[in-house]
Amino acid sequence: MEPPGSVNADPAERPDRDGEGRCTQWRNWSGFWLLGLCNNFAYVIMLSAAHDILKKQESHNTTASTEATLAVDFQVGNSSNSSRYDCNPVSTAAVLLADILPTLVIKLSVPFVIHNLPYGIRVLFCAAMAAASFLLVSLSSAVWISILGVIFASISAGLGELSFLSLTVFFNRDVLGGWGSGTGGAGVAGALLYSVLTQVGLSPQVTVQIMLVVPFAMLISYFSLLVPPPSLPQWKSRRTEYAAVGSEESRGLMDGAEEEEEDKSTPGSCVTEDVSTGPLTFTEKLHIIKGLLKFVFPLGLVYFAEYFINQGLMELLYFPNFFLSHAEQYRWYQTLYQVGVLVSRSSLCCVKIRKLWALSLLQVVNAVLLVFAVRYLFLPSAWLVFAIVLYEGLLGGAAYVNTFYFISKESEDRHREFAMAAASVGDSLGIALAGLAAFPVHRYFCSM
């Protein structure tokens, strides 16, 4: 059982020593909602805008590189091949991999060292990387510069996710609902805002430059809207904080020499205290990761199945006699998926699902069903696919927000901050593997 005065204890058990009233709770929930929205916004905009900008670059350069061609091919429904699936020459998984791999590398490595970087510095860095990504993509005159902008957006999103998930342990656990809802909203808001601004006549370059307001909104949300507790290491690393605490304890022991003499019968007590309050060792972190596998595997499987659907199958689920074109059908698939994610990531205040493996298995059933649907073309209408895709988004969003809720709830007090950061690799790993698996599937069906 966690100490009742612990910083990271369940908020229901923690005394309200910071005087957190309803106004403060609402500010923190809103702050994490905006942080979730802003953190994923650049990632979504890059998927929406990169191919437009690269396409314009290609129109001015008849010797455009292969990378530009890959990005242009992300636009669905513009292929003129003879396949019954109206395939693009290259699977949309190509763009997905370019956007997810930097995030995956960060989530695999950074949790072991990120405690050396204060939260304030992390947020400034994430905002700077997001702003740089918008500027590079909007002002680039070469393909490689645009690709670098996409990489910067991925770095910002990856580092931001693991940092903000770790940050939630210093606040009421309800802020996880705000974070999850904000990240879900980023998919809908980002794609919708980009489409609306370009539809009214703004160029993709100008539209992306307008998005520079997002990194500033992230800074305002973190530094002005949140009400951080005194225990939050805002500008000091965790290592520095532990060292300061250890120094104070040493002075206290020296001043209390008489009490120490009385406690000599328990010589191991000081060592135990140091171990329970000092920074986590590498061995301890590996032990924590082992305990997280029961959460990471189901989350990774859910995201593997859903992004295998999104990037490997969605563009092949084409209904020629439907009133929407191929491109329009694909856009509605993606939109309904994002709506499902938004709804389920916002549901933590209403329902909590502990059986994460059930969500994984249901998502795998979705993937298998749609593989057979693509192969044998037995689905009668796009309307049914719309319903399946919405349901797919509901499963994925529910898996994400419930995974981190129960990690926060069930992790030991001292382990929670690292556990929240380390577990964030689950969805990115599943997405990356799905992108790799989508290539042979796309090639197989498009050769038919």
Short mmCIF file of all heavy atoms in Angstrom, two decimals, residues 248-313:
data_model
loop_
_atom_site.label_atom_id
_atom_site.label_comp_id
_atom_site.label_asym_id
_atom_site.label_seq_id
_atom_site.Cartn_x
_atom_site.Cartn_y
_atom_site.Cartn_z
N GLU A 248 20.15 16.81 2.73
CA GLU A 248 19.35 17.25 3.86
C GLU A 248 19.20 16.14 4.90
O GLU A 248 19.27 16.39 6.10
CB GLU A 248 17.97 17.72 3.37
CG GLU A 248 18.02 19.00 2.56
CD GLU A 248 16.66 19.37 2.03
OE1 GLU A 248 15.69 18.64 2.34
OE2 GLU A 248 16.55 20.37 1.30
N GLU A 249 19.02 14.92 4.41
CA GLU A 249 18.89 13.80 5.34
C GLU A 249 20.18 13.58 6.12
O GLU A 249 20.16 13.25 7.30
CB GLU A 249 18.49 12.54 4.58
CG GLU A 249 17.06 12.58 4.06
CD GLU A 249 16.71 11.33 3.28
OE1 GLU A 249 17.65 10.55 2.99
OE2 GLU A 249 15.53 11.13 2.97
N SER A 250 21.32 13.78 5.44
CA SER A 250 22.60 13.60 6.11
C SER A 250 22.78 14.61 7.22
O SER A 250 23.23 14.29 8.32
CB SER A 250 23.75 13.72 5.09
OG SER A 250 23.65 12.70 4.12
N ARG A 251 22.40 15.87 6.92
CA ARG A 251 22.52 16.90 7.95
C ARG A 251 21.58 16.60 9.12
O ARG A 251 21.91 16.83 10.27
CB ARG A 251 22.21 18.28 7.35
CG ARG A 251 23.30 18.79 6.42
CD ARG A 251 23.12 20.28 6.17
NE ARG A 251 21.86 20.55 5.49
CZ ARG A 251 21.71 20.60 4.18
NH1 ARG A 251 22.76 20.34 3.39
NH2 ARG A 251 20.55 20.87 3.64
N GLY A 252 20.40 16.09 8.78
CA GLY A 252 19.46 15.75 9.83
C GLY A 252 19.98 14.63 10.71
O GLY A 252 19.79 14.64 11.93
N LEU A 253 20.68 13.69 10.12
CA LEU A 253 21.25 12.58 10.90
C LEU A 253 22.36 13.07 11.81
O LEU A 253 22.51 12.62 12.95
CB LEU A 253 21.77 11.50 9.95
CG LEU A 253 20.71 10.66 9.24
CD1 LEU A 253 21.37 9.74 8.22
CD2 LEU A 253 19.92 9.82 10.24
N MET A 254 23.15 14.02 11.30
CA MET A 254 24.24 14.57 12.13
C MET A 254 23.67 15.36 13.31
O MET A 254 24.17 15.28 14.43
CB MET A 254 25.14 15.47 11.28
CG MET A 254 25.93 14.69 10.21
SD MET A 254 26.83 15.80 9.12
CE MET A 254 27.97 16.54 10.28
N ASP A 255 22.60 16.14 13.03
CA ASP A 255 22.02 16.93 14.12
C ASP A 255 21.31 16.04 15.14
O ASP A 255 21.19 16.41 16.30
CB ASP A 255 21.01 17.94 13.54
CG ASP A 255 21.72 18.97 12.68
OD1 ASP A 255 22.94 19.15 12.87
OD2 ASP A 255 21.06 19.58 11.81
N GLY A 256 20.83 14.91 14.67
CA GLY A 256 20.09 14.04 15.58
C GLY A 256 20.92 12.85 16.01
O GLY A 256 20.44 11.71 15.95
N ALA A 257 22.15 13.08 16.41
CA ALA A 257 23.06 11.97 16.75
C ALA A 257 22.54 11.16 17.93
O ALA A 257 22.73 9.95 17.99
CB ALA A 257 24.45 12.52 17.07
N GLU A 258 21.89 11.84 18.88
CA GLU A 258 21.42 11.12 20.04
C GLU A 258 20.34 10.11 19.66
O GLU A 258 20.33 8.98 20.13
CB GLU A 258 20.87 12.11 21.07
CG GLU A 258 21.96 12.99 21.67
CD GLU A 258 21.38 13.92 22.71
OE1 GLU A 258 20.15 13.84 22.95
OE2 GLU A 258 22.15 14.71 23.28
N GLU A 259 19.39 10.53 18.75
CA GLU A 259 18.35 9.60 18.31
C GLU A 259 18.97 8.44 17.52
O GLU A 259 18.50 7.31 17.58
CB GLU A 259 17.32 10.31 17.43
CG GLU A 259 16.38 11.21 18.21
CD GLU A 259 16.93 12.61 18.37
OE1 GLU A 259 18.17 12.77 18.46
OE2 GLU A 259 16.13 13.53 18.38
N GLU A 260 20.02 8.74 16.79
CA GLU A 260 20.67 7.71 15.98
C GLU A 260 21.28 6.63 16.88
O GLU A 260 21.26 5.45 16.54
CB GLU A 260 21.75 8.34 15.11
CG GLU A 260 22.41 7.36 14.14
CD GLU A 260 23.44 8.04 13.27
OE1 GLU A 260 23.62 9.26 13.41
OE2 GLU A 260 24.07 7.33 12.48
N GLU A 261 21.81 7.04 18.05
CA GLU A 261 22.39 6.06 18.97
C GLU A 261 21.32 5.08 19.44
O GLU A 261 21.59 3.90 19.60
CB GLU A 261 22.99 6.79 20.18
CG GLU A 261 24.29 7.52 19.88
CD GLU A 261 25.41 6.56 19.54
OE1 GLU A 261 25.40 5.43 20.08
OE2 GLU A 261 26.28 6.91 18.73
N GLU A 262 20.12 5.58 19.63
CA GLU A 262 19.04 4.72 20.09
C GLU A 262 18.61 3.72 19.03
O GLU A 262 18.05 2.68 19.33
CB GLU A 262 17.85 5.58 20.51
CG GLU A 262 18.15 6.51 21.67
CD GLU A 262 16.96 7.39 21.99
OE1 GLU A 262 15.91 7.23 21.31
OE2 GLU A 262 17.07 8.22 22.91
N ASP A 263 18.87 4.06 17.76
CA ASP A 263 18.42 3.19 16.67
C ASP A 263 19.50 2.28 16.15
O ASP A 263 19.37 1.70 15.08
CB ASP A 263 17.89 4.05 15.50
CG ASP A 263 16.66 4.83 15.90
OD1 ASP A 263 15.97 4.35 16.82
OD2 ASP A 263 16.41 5.88 15.30
N LYS A 264 20.61 2.16 16.87
CA LYS A 264 21.72 1.34 16.37
C LYS A 264 21.34 -0.13 16.29
O LYS A 264 22.03 -0.92 15.66
CB LYS A 264 22.94 1.52 17.27
CG LYS A 264 23.69 2.80 16.99
CD LYS A 264 24.97 2.88 17.82
CE LYS A 264 25.75 4.13 17.48
NZ LYS A 264 27.00 4.25 18.27
N SER A 265 20.30 -0.50 16.99
CA SER A 265 19.87 -1.90 16.93
C SER A 265 19.31 -2.27 15.57
O SER A 265 19.13 -3.44 15.27
CB SER A 265 18.81 -2.16 18.00
OG SER A 265 17.71 -1.30 17.81
N THR A 266 19.03 -1.28 14.74
CA THR A 266 18.53 -1.55 13.38
C THR A 266 19.46 -0.91 12.37
O THR A 266 19.14 0.09 11.75
CB THR A 266 17.11 -1.00 13.20
OG1 THR A 266 17.13 0.40 13.51
CG2 THR A 266 16.14 -1.70 14.13
N PRO A 267 20.66 -1.50 12.17
CA PRO A 267 21.67 -0.86 11.32
C PRO A 267 21.29 -0.79 9.86
O PRO A 267 21.84 0.00 9.11
CB PRO A 267 22.90 -1.77 11.51
CG PRO A 267 22.34 -3.09 11.93
CD PRO A 267 21.14 -2.77 12.75
N GLY A 268 20.35 -1.58 9.41
CA GLY A 268 20.02 -1.57 7.98
C GLY A 268 18.98 -0.55 7.61
O GLY A 268 18.62 -0.42 6.44
N SER A 269 18.47 0.18 8.60
CA SER A 269 17.36 1.07 8.31
C SER A 269 17.76 2.21 7.39
O SER A 269 17.02 2.60 6.52
CB SER A 269 16.79 1.64 9.61
OG SER A 269 17.79 2.36 10.31
N CYS A 270 18.95 2.77 7.55
CA CYS A 270 19.40 3.88 6.71
C CYS A 270 19.56 3.44 5.27
O CYS A 270 19.21 4.15 4.34
CB CYS A 270 20.72 4.46 7.22
SG CYS A 270 20.56 5.32 8.81
N VAL A 271 20.11 2.26 5.07
CA VAL A 271 20.30 1.75 3.71
C VAL A 271 18.97 1.56 3.03
O VAL A 271 18.77 1.92 1.87
CB VAL A 271 21.08 0.41 3.75
CG1 VAL A 271 21.19 -0.18 2.36
CG2 VAL A 271 22.45 0.62 4.36
N THR A 272 17.99 1.01 3.79
CA THR A 272 16.67 0.79 3.21
C THR A 272 16.04 2.10 2.78
O THR A 272 15.45 2.21 1.72
CB THR A 272 15.77 0.10 4.24
OG1 THR A 272 16.39 -1.12 4.63
CG2 THR A 272 14.38 -0.17 3.66
N GLU A 273 16.19 3.13 3.58
CA GLU A 273 15.61 4.43 3.24
C GLU A 273 16.23 4.99 1.98
O GLU A 273 15.56 5.54 1.12
CB GLU A 273 15.81 5.38 4.43
CG GLU A 273 15.25 6.78 4.21
CD GLU A 273 13.74 6.75 4.14
OE1 GLU A 273 13.13 5.80 4.63
OE2 GLU A 273 13.17 7.71 3.56
N ASP A 274 17.57 4.85 1.84
CA ASP A 274 18.24 5.37 0.66
C ASP A 274 17.75 4.68 -0.60
O ASP A 274 17.53 5.30 -1.63
CB ASP A 274 19.76 5.20 0.80
CG ASP A 274 20.34 6.13 1.85
OD1 ASP A 274 19.67 7.13 2.18
OD2 ASP A 274 21.45 5.84 2.33
N VAL A 275 17.58 3.35 -0.49
CA VAL A 275 17.15 2.59 -1.65
C VAL A 275 15.74 2.97 -2.05
O VAL A 275 15.39 3.03 -3.22
CB VAL A 275 17.25 1.08 -1.35
CG1 VAL A 275 16.59 0.28 -2.46
CG2 VAL A 275 18.71 0.67 -1.18
N SER A 276 14.90 3.24 -1.05
CA SER A 276 13.49 3.50 -1.35
C SER A 276 13.23 4.92 -1.83
O SER A 276 12.14 5.21 -2.31
CB SER A 276 12.63 3.22 -0.11
OG SER A 276 12.97 4.12 0.93
N THR A 277 14.19 5.82 -1.67
CA THR A 277 13.97 7.20 -2.08
C THR A 277 14.92 7.68 -3.15
O THR A 277 14.68 8.71 -3.75
CB THR A 277 14.10 8.14 -0.87
OG1 THR A 277 15.41 8.01 -0.31
CG2 THR A 277 13.06 7.82 0.18
N GLY A 278 16.00 6.98 -3.42
CA GLY A 278 16.98 7.42 -4.40
C GLY A 278 16.53 7.13 -5.81
O GLY A 278 15.46 6.58 -6.06
N PRO A 279 17.33 7.54 -6.81
CA PRO A 279 16.98 7.27 -8.21
C PRO A 279 16.98 5.78 -8.51
O PRO A 279 17.69 5.00 -7.88
CB PRO A 279 18.10 7.99 -8.98
CG PRO A 279 19.23 8.10 -8.01
CD PRO A 279 18.62 8.24 -6.65
N LEU A 280 16.16 5.40 -9.47
CA LEU A 280 16.08 4.00 -9.86
C LEU A 280 17.38 3.54 -10.50
O LEU A 280 17.98 4.27 -11.31
CB LEU A 280 14.92 3.79 -10.85
CG LEU A 280 13.51 4.04 -10.33
CD1 LEU A 280 12.52 4.00 -11.49
CD2 LEU A 280 13.14 3.02 -9.27
N THR A 281 17.83 2.36 -10.15
CA THR A 281 18.99 1.78 -10.79
C THR A 281 18.59 1.14 -12.10
O THR A 281 17.40 0.91 -12.38
CB THR A 281 19.65 0.73 -9.88
OG1 THR A 281 18.74 -0.37 -9.73
CG2 THR A 281 19.98 1.31 -8.52
N PHE A 282 19.58 0.83 -12.92
CA PHE A 282 19.30 0.19 -14.21
C PHE A 282 18.62 -1.16 -14.00
O PHE A 282 17.69 -1.52 -14.73
CB PHE A 282 20.60 0.02 -15.00
CG PHE A 282 20.42 -0.56 -16.36
CD1 PHE A 282 19.91 0.21 -17.40
CD2 PHE A 282 20.73 -1.89 -16.62
CE1 PHE A 282 19.72 -0.32 -18.67
CE2 PHE A 282 20.55 -2.43 -17.88
CZ PHE A 282 20.04 -1.65 -18.91
N THR A 283 19.07 -1.90 -13.01
CA THR A 283 18.45 -3.20 -12.72
C THR A 283 17.00 -3.04 -12.32
O THR A 283 16.13 -3.82 -12.74
CB THR A 283 19.23 -3.91 -11.60
OG1 THR A 283 20.60 -4.06 -11.99
CG2 THR A 283 18.63 -5.28 -11.31
N GLU A 284 16.71 -2.02 -11.50
CA GLU A 284 15.33 -1.77 -11.10
C GLU A 284 14.47 -1.42 -12.31
O GLU A 284 13.31 -1.85 -12.41
CB GLU A 284 15.28 -0.64 -10.07
CG GLU A 284 15.77 -1.03 -8.69
CD GLU A 284 15.74 0.15 -7.74
OE1 GLU A 284 16.32 1.20 -8.06
OE2 GLU A 284 15.12 0.02 -6.67
N LYS A 285 15.02 -0.64 -13.21
CA LYS A 285 14.25 -0.25 -14.40
C LYS A 285 13.94 -1.47 -15.27
O LYS A 285 12.82 -1.59 -15.80
CB LYS A 285 15.03 0.78 -15.21
CG LYS A 285 15.13 2.15 -14.51
CD LYS A 285 15.92 3.14 -15.32
CE LYS A 285 15.97 4.50 -14.62
NZ LYS A 285 16.76 5.50 -15.37
N LEU A 286 14.90 -2.36 -15.40
CA LEU A 286 14.63 -3.59 -16.15
C LEU A 286 13.55 -4.42 -15.48
O LEU A 286 12.69 -5.02 -16.15
CB LEU A 286 15.91 -4.41 -16.30
CG LEU A 286 17.01 -3.81 -17.18
CD1 LEU A 286 18.22 -4.74 -17.22
CD2 LEU A 286 16.50 -3.56 -18.60
N HIS A 287 13.57 -4.46 -14.15
CA HIS A 287 12.54 -5.19 -13.41
C HIS A 287 11.16 -4.55 -13.63
O HIS A 287 10.15 -5.27 -13.78
CB HIS A 287 12.89 -5.20 -11.92
CG HIS A 287 11.90 -5.94 -11.08
ND1 HIS A 287 11.78 -7.32 -11.08
CD2 HIS A 287 10.94 -5.48 -10.20
CE1 HIS A 287 10.82 -7.68 -10.26
NE2 HIS A 287 10.30 -6.60 -9.71
N ILE A 288 11.11 -3.23 -13.65
CA ILE A 288 9.85 -2.54 -13.90
C ILE A 288 9.33 -2.86 -15.30
O ILE A 288 8.14 -3.12 -15.50
CB ILE A 288 10.03 -1.02 -13.72
CG1 ILE A 288 10.35 -0.69 -12.26
CG2 ILE A 288 8.77 -0.27 -14.15
CD1 ILE A 288 10.77 0.74 -12.04
N ILE A 289 10.24 -2.83 -16.28
CA ILE A 289 9.83 -3.13 -17.66
C ILE A 289 9.26 -4.53 -17.77
O ILE A 289 8.26 -4.76 -18.46
CB ILE A 289 11.04 -2.95 -18.60
CG1 ILE A 289 11.40 -1.47 -18.72
CG2 ILE A 289 10.74 -3.54 -19.98
CD1 ILE A 289 12.64 -1.20 -19.51
N LYS A 290 9.86 -5.48 -17.06
CA LYS A 290 9.34 -6.84 -17.06
C LYS A 290 7.90 -6.87 -16.55
O LYS A 290 7.04 -7.57 -17.11
CB LYS A 290 10.22 -7.74 -16.20
CG LYS A 290 9.80 -9.20 -16.18
CD LYS A 290 10.73 -10.03 -15.32
CE LYS A 290 10.27 -11.49 -15.26
NZ LYS A 290 11.17 -12.32 -14.41
N GLY A 291 7.63 -6.10 -15.51
CA GLY A 291 6.27 -6.04 -14.99
C GLY A 291 5.30 -5.32 -15.90
O GLY A 291 4.08 -5.53 -15.81
N LEU A 292 5.82 -4.46 -16.79
CA LEU A 292 4.97 -3.70 -17.71
C LEU A 292 4.54 -4.51 -18.92
O LEU A 292 3.65 -4.08 -19.67
CB LEU A 292 5.69 -2.44 -18.18
CG LEU A 292 5.90 -1.32 -17.16
CD1 LEU A 292 6.76 -0.22 -17.77
CD2 LEU A 292 4.56 -0.75 -16.70
N LEU A 293 5.16 -5.65 -19.15
CA LEU A 293 4.87 -6.41 -20.37
C LEU A 293 3.40 -6.79 -20.47
O LEU A 293 2.84 -6.87 -21.56
CB LEU A 293 5.75 -7.66 -20.42
CG LEU A 293 7.26 -7.41 -20.56
CD1 LEU A 293 8.02 -8.72 -20.63
CD2 LEU A 293 7.57 -6.54 -21.77
N LYS A 294 2.75 -7.00 -19.33
CA LYS A 294 1.34 -7.37 -19.35
C LYS A 294 0.47 -6.22 -19.86
O LYS A 294 -0.69 -6.43 -20.25
CB LYS A 294 0.88 -7.79 -17.96
CG LYS A 294 0.97 -6.70 -16.91
CD LYS A 294 0.56 -7.21 -15.54
CE LYS A 294 0.69 -6.11 -14.47
NZ LYS A 294 0.32 -6.61 -13.12
N PHE A 295 1.01 -5.00 -19.84
CA PHE A 295 0.31 -3.85 -20.41
C PHE A 295 0.80 -3.55 -21.83
O PHE A 295 0.00 -3.21 -22.71
CB PHE A 295 0.53 -2.61 -19.54
CG PHE A 295 -0.05 -2.71 -18.17
CD1 PHE A 295 0.76 -2.95 -17.07
CD2 PHE A 295 -1.41 -2.55 -17.96
CE1 PHE A 295 0.23 -3.03 -15.80
CE2 PHE A 295 -1.95 -2.62 -16.68
CZ PHE A 295 -1.13 -2.87 -15.60
N VAL A 296 2.11 -3.64 -22.05
CA VAL A 296 2.70 -3.25 -23.33
C VAL A 296 2.28 -4.19 -24.45
O VAL A 296 1.97 -3.75 -25.57
CB VAL A 296 4.23 -3.17 -23.21
CG1 VAL A 296 4.87 -2.94 -24.58
CG2 VAL A 296 4.63 -2.06 -22.25
N PHE A 297 2.27 -5.49 -24.21
CA PHE A 297 1.92 -6.45 -25.25
C PHE A 297 0.49 -6.25 -25.76
O PHE A 297 0.27 -6.19 -26.98
CB PHE A 297 2.13 -7.87 -24.77
CG PHE A 297 3.57 -8.31 -24.81
CD1 PHE A 297 4.01 -9.38 -24.03
CD2 PHE A 297 4.49 -7.68 -25.63
CE1 PHE A 297 5.33 -9.78 -24.06
CE2 PHE A 297 5.81 -8.07 -25.67
CZ PHE A 297 6.24 -9.13 -24.89
N PRO A 298 -0.52 -6.17 -24.88
CA PRO A 298 -1.87 -5.92 -25.40
C PRO A 298 -1.99 -4.60 -26.15
O PRO A 298 -2.64 -4.53 -27.20
CB PRO A 298 -2.74 -5.91 -24.14
CG PRO A 298 -1.96 -6.68 -23.13
CD PRO A 298 -0.52 -6.41 -23.42
N LEU A 299 -1.35 -3.54 -25.63
CA LEU A 299 -1.41 -2.24 -26.31
C LEU A 299 -0.74 -2.32 -27.67
O LEU A 299 -1.28 -1.82 -28.67
CB LEU A 299 -0.73 -1.17 -25.45
CG LEU A 299 -0.72 0.25 -26.03
CD1 LEU A 299 -2.14 0.79 -26.16
CD2 LEU A 299 0.12 1.18 -25.15
N GLY A 300 0.44 -2.95 -27.74
CA GLY A 300 1.13 -3.10 -29.02
C GLY A 300 0.32 -3.91 -30.01
O GLY A 300 0.28 -3.58 -31.21
N LEU A 301 -0.35 -4.96 -29.54
CA LEU A 301 -1.14 -5.79 -30.44
C LEU A 301 -2.35 -5.03 -30.98
O LEU A 301 -2.70 -5.16 -32.18
CB LEU A 301 -1.60 -7.06 -29.70
CG LEU A 301 -2.35 -8.11 -30.53
CD1 LEU A 301 -1.51 -8.55 -31.72
CD2 LEU A 301 -2.74 -9.30 -29.66
N VAL A 302 -3.00 -4.25 -30.12
CA VAL A 302 -4.12 -3.44 -30.58
C VAL A 302 -3.67 -2.49 -31.69
O VAL A 302 -4.32 -2.39 -32.75
CB VAL A 302 -4.73 -2.62 -29.41
CG1 VAL A 302 -5.64 -1.52 -29.94
CG2 VAL A 302 -5.51 -3.53 -28.48
N TYR A 303 -2.55 -1.81 -31.48
CA TYR A 303 -2.09 -0.83 -32.47
C TYR A 303 -1.52 -1.50 -33.71
O TYR A 303 -1.62 -0.94 -34.82
CB TYR A 303 -1.08 0.13 -31.83
CG TYR A 303 -1.78 1.30 -31.18
CD1 TYR A 303 -2.34 1.18 -29.91
CD2 TYR A 303 -1.94 2.50 -31.86
CE1 TYR A 303 -3.01 2.23 -29.33
CE2 TYR A 303 -2.61 3.56 -31.30
CZ TYR A 303 -3.15 3.42 -30.03
OH TYR A 303 -3.84 4.47 -29.47
N PHE A 304 -0.92 -2.67 -33.56
CA PHE A 304 -0.48 -3.41 -34.74
C PHE A 304 -1.68 -3.74 -35.63
O PHE A 304 -1.65 -3.51 -36.85
CB PHE A 304 0.23 -4.70 -34.34
CG PHE A 304 0.53 -5.59 -35.51
CD1 PHE A 304 1.66 -5.38 -36.29
CD2 PHE A 304 -0.31 -6.65 -35.83
CE1 PHE A 304 1.94 -6.19 -37.38
CE2 PHE A 304 -0.04 -7.47 -36.91
CZ PHE A 304 1.08 -7.24 -37.69
N ALA A 305 -2.75 -4.27 -35.03
CA ALA A 305 -3.91 -4.66 -35.81
C ALA A 305 -4.59 -3.46 -36.45
O ALA A 305 -4.95 -3.49 -37.64
CB ALA A 305 -4.91 -5.42 -34.92
N GLU A 306 -4.73 -2.35 -35.70
CA GLU A 306 -5.48 -1.22 -36.26
C GLU A 306 -4.69 -0.47 -37.31
O GLU A 306 -5.26 -0.01 -38.31
CB GLU A 306 -5.98 -0.29 -35.15
CG GLU A 306 -4.98 0.58 -34.48
CD GLU A 306 -5.63 1.42 -33.38
OE1 GLU A 306 -6.03 0.86 -32.34
OE2 GLU A 306 -5.72 2.64 -33.57
N TYR A 307 -3.36 -0.36 -37.16
CA TYR A 307 -2.60 0.33 -38.20
C TYR A 307 -2.31 -0.58 -39.39
O TYR A 307 -2.05 -0.10 -40.49
CB TYR A 307 -1.32 0.94 -37.62
CG TYR A 307 -1.58 2.30 -37.06
CD1 TYR A 307 -2.09 2.46 -35.77
CD2 TYR A 307 -1.37 3.44 -37.82
CE1 TYR A 307 -2.37 3.71 -35.26
CE2 TYR A 307 -1.65 4.69 -37.32
CZ TYR A 307 -2.15 4.83 -36.04
OH TYR A 307 -2.44 6.08 -35.55
N PHE A 308 -2.36 -1.89 -39.18
CA PHE A 308 -2.33 -2.81 -40.31
C PHE A 308 -3.59 -2.60 -41.16
O PHE A 308 -3.54 -2.61 -42.39
CB PHE A 308 -2.27 -4.25 -39.81
CG PHE A 308 -2.25 -5.27 -40.90
CD1 PHE A 308 -1.09 -5.53 -41.62
CD2 PHE A 308 -3.41 -5.97 -41.24
CE1 PHE A 308 -1.09 -6.46 -42.64
CE2 PHE A 308 -3.41 -6.90 -42.24
CZ PHE A 308 -2.25 -7.16 -42.95
N ILE A 309 -4.72 -2.37 -40.48
CA ILE A 309 -5.95 -2.05 -41.20
C ILE A 309 -5.83 -0.69 -41.88
O ILE A 309 -6.10 -0.55 -43.08
CB ILE A 309 -7.15 -2.04 -40.22
CG1 ILE A 309 -7.41 -3.44 -39.67
CG2 ILE A 309 -8.40 -1.50 -40.91
CD1 ILE A 309 -8.43 -3.46 -38.53
N ASN A 310 -5.39 0.32 -41.12
CA ASN A 310 -5.38 1.69 -41.63
C ASN A 310 -4.44 1.87 -42.81
O ASN A 310 -4.76 2.54 -43.79
CB ASN A 310 -4.98 2.66 -40.52
CG ASN A 310 -6.02 2.75 -39.43
OD1 ASN A 310 -7.10 2.18 -39.54
ND2 ASN A 310 -5.70 3.45 -38.36
N GLN A 311 -3.25 1.30 -42.73
CA GLN A 311 -2.23 1.56 -43.75
C GLN A 311 -2.05 0.42 -44.74
O GLN A 311 -1.42 0.62 -45.77
CB GLN A 311 -0.88 1.85 -43.07
CG GLN A 311 -0.94 2.92 -41.99
CD GLN A 311 -1.53 4.23 -42.47
OE1 GLN A 311 -2.35 4.83 -41.78
NE2 GLN A 311 -1.14 4.68 -43.64
N GLY A 312 -2.59 -0.76 -44.44
CA GLY A 312 -2.43 -1.87 -45.36
C GLY A 312 -3.70 -2.27 -46.06
O GLY A 312 -3.66 -2.81 -47.18
N LEU A 313 -4.86 -2.00 -45.45
CA LEU A 313 -6.12 -2.50 -46.00
C LEU A 313 -7.10 -1.41 -46.41
O LEU A 313 -7.88 -1.60 -47.35
CB LEU A 313 -6.81 -3.41 -44.96
CG LEU A 313 -6.01 -4.65 -44.50
CD1 LEU A 313 -6.80 -5.40 -43.43
CD2 LEU A 313 -5.68 -5.56 -45.67
#
